[in-house]
Amino acid sequence: MSTPHDLDDRLRAELAALGAPDQRRDLGEPLPDGGPLTGAQALALFDAQLTSRLLDLAGRWLSGFGEGYFTVESAGHEGDAAVAAALRPTDPALLHARSGAFYCLRAAQAAGAFPAAPTPPDRPPATDADADAGEAEAGSLPVGAGIVVDADGDATVVVPDLPQPAPDDAFAAAARDVLRGIVASAEEPAAGGRAKVFGRADLAVVPTTSAAGSHLPRAVGLGLALERLRRGARPADGEAGAAPWPADAVVVCAFDDAAVDHASATAALNTTGWYDHTGLRIPVLFVCADSGASAEGWVAATLRARPGIRYFAADATDVVATHRVAAEAAEWVRRQRRPAVLHLSAVRLMAQGDGDAARDPLLATARLLVTSGYAGGEELLARYDERGWQLRRVAEEVLDEPKLASPVEIVRELAPRRPVRVSRAVAEAAEHAAGPGAGARAEAFGGKPPELTGPLTLAQSINAALADGMLDHPGTAVFGHEVAAQGGVYGVTEGLRDRFGAARVFDTLPDETSILGLGLGAGLAGLLPVPEIRHLTLLHGAEDQLRGEAATMRFLSRGAFRNPMVVRVPGLASPEGLGGHDRNDDSLGALRDVPGLVVAVPARPDDAAPMLRTCLAAARVDGGVCVFVEPIALYHVRDLYTDGDDEWAAEYAEPGAWADRHVPIGRARVYGIGSAEDLTIITFGNGVRMSLRAAATLAEEGVGSRVVDLRWLAPLPVADIIRESSATGRVLVVDETRRTGGVGEGVLSALVDTGYVGAARRVAALDSFVPLGPAARQVLVSAEAITQGARTLLAR
């Protein structure tokens, strides 16, 4: 492994040994055999590379005395500066932790300090009619222009007014960004000291985590969303967050060879190929920097074998070849609107690498500049030293910048809640549905809106609320495995595709990672995605897309990027044990543990619709991410106490009543049974129906109960919990999730933390998976167990 000191000494010695060029050439002249690159562009590429290298050294220097908190060195990967040069500064880029040179070049490019890559003169004509149409549309836009769609669906071309600093200033500004991230400065432009990432909204660089390959599903979703927007789909008309990507933008997604074998990357590449196979366009350029850590030839064989993804390859130590191939690949993706992968042969120096220092990309670029007559070795060494001292001064300056110093500062952008604006959005939706949108609503429901069809079940109420949400927000899209063709596993989305078309209600592969990735990308593009995951058990394998990608987006970008999303999940267990543990799962602890994530569990039909409207409004207004867990055992239930009583079904509220029946996030529902003075039962989901039945039995024994339906498991309705518990002084927590790690633990902790001094007891499911058939009743909560638990508590 090359140490930073060894690598620096070797580079300095090699630069000094290059000598002077045999014949001087003007920097404005093209490279002798380099295609469209000029000497000035090649020198700018060298500047980006050396800036990235010096940032690696500065990071090590800062870490040496405890002021550098995290960095991943880009040494050996600096060839990706040529990839950035081949793209436009308005192409959204999802980078990986070793993309330092790409970021530096992108910053210079966006600032006008690096001219846009010229279009190859011999590009082949597009072979797809849609691609031809897209090229004609995009060709009328200036480079760097974006399309902003207003609330009325009108599109406006916007050309950003970018500053034009000197090249040195542009690279210094990029270096300051990175150094601020290393020292956790609160002034860092992406995450504001919360994490060290490459990201800036004005550079079209979307911040990503350092988890291998976890950002690839989002890139696929963003590519698909961009095509839908280009073809006429409207973004959500919320207050903010719809990114003005150009109509012909290309999504670039960088990763290294370690990610190729990662499950998230595999899922993303497979989904990309599948969509291309079915004729859907995804303009994504995947860029894999291969430093040879895998078995020889494995990465190339894997990437070449991907159906539907065109393969390009280049040696990343050669900036001319890399730029030429990258420009060809980017142009192909831009015109064809189809995916490609650019496989770069790189070398890893420093960090965990033990690469060949003779293949150092900086040396290769320096040799090119000298042999082509643009600079001498001593000049390049002086350039390297001058930039090094410049970065040292910048590093010393950012050390004095403030750090995040309070919990409020840290969590401010995690998941902002604006309940008044959410409530207003619900009221506006109601006004539109009852007024200007009444005709379209009547047509969508076939002349008979749901409020006129009689009492609805939980499933029917959710279906109607989804339809109303899609009528209210034209950017809303519902998708998942078989949600369009078959209405989902439980028929909840039945009929939506017929009403709203295949562009807004569509089927996906049965891969939960990719489904969530599509939602992440769609939300980033300004749409309002509502993906469905077939079963709660299947969500667990894709949870990092919620935790590591969705929930962190605002946290890592200071709110500059959002990925609003409402994830619908049939979940919780059926006492009948239908389907066994594969389809019956009550594990919600992993979701409640994600900071900022909203977890909603509607039990009653008359709660399901207003809660779903709240989640959709919160996604649009605040960019929130919500998991809407729907109890499968209650989907089609109509009765509460006795067969045929129809007391679990409920009327669907007409639009005029939506505002009055609005359910804010974090507010519970309380039922009073009898005197409601003896006992408080706190529960949710299936537990609500069972607890009401148990409370009726207790009422016959003279015990008055108040049943609290939490409705929201994250954030918990703590104020309601404390108020209703204090009213009786006896609390029975009914938790259908597991005893260990279940929701009940959170409820009891809230009681303790707020000084509750009354009696408390818990009835919870056993720490077991749900077995098949009648055996399920042995491990799950039952109305009988609740009744007995209440009696035990009252006997104290």
Side-chain angles (χ1 to χ4, degrees), residues 444 463 467 483-487 491-501 505:
N463 179 283
V483 301
Q486 299 184 22
V492 179
T493 57
E494 185 176 357
L496 292 181
R497 183 178 64 175
D498 295 337
R499 297 181 198 176
F500 299 102
V505 182

Side-chain angles (χ1 to χ4, degrees), residues 49 101 136 182 234 246 325 345 365 382 407 420 463 515 525 573 613 616 662 750:
Q49 291 179 311
I182 293 172
R234 280 183 51 190
V325 177
S345 174
T365 307
V420 173
N463 179 283
I515 291 171
R613 278 192 285 272
L616 293 171
H662 171 59

Side-chain angles (χ1 to χ4, degrees), residues 387-465:
R387 182 61 50 80
W389 283 111
Q390 182 186 41
L391 265 59
R392 177 66 67 92
R393 290 193 297 272
V394 172
E396 292 171 348
E397 291 169 6
V398 300
L399 280 174
D400 294 330
E401 293 181 348
K403 306 288 194 297
L404 294 171
S406 72
V408 173
E409 286 183 280
I410 295 169
V411 303
R412 181 173 51 205
E413 289 296 348
L414 181 63
R417 304 257 191 264
R418 292 180 288 182
V420 173
R421 298 184 71 169
V422 170
S423 176
R424 188 185 309 148
V426 171
E428 291 171 353
E431 292 173 4
H432 183 267
R441 186 169 185 266
E443 181 180 355
F445 285 109
K448 194 172 184 180
E451 60 266 26
L452 300 180
T453 60
L456 304 182
T457 63
L458 182 72
Q460 291 169 332
S461 182
I462 293 171
N463 179 283

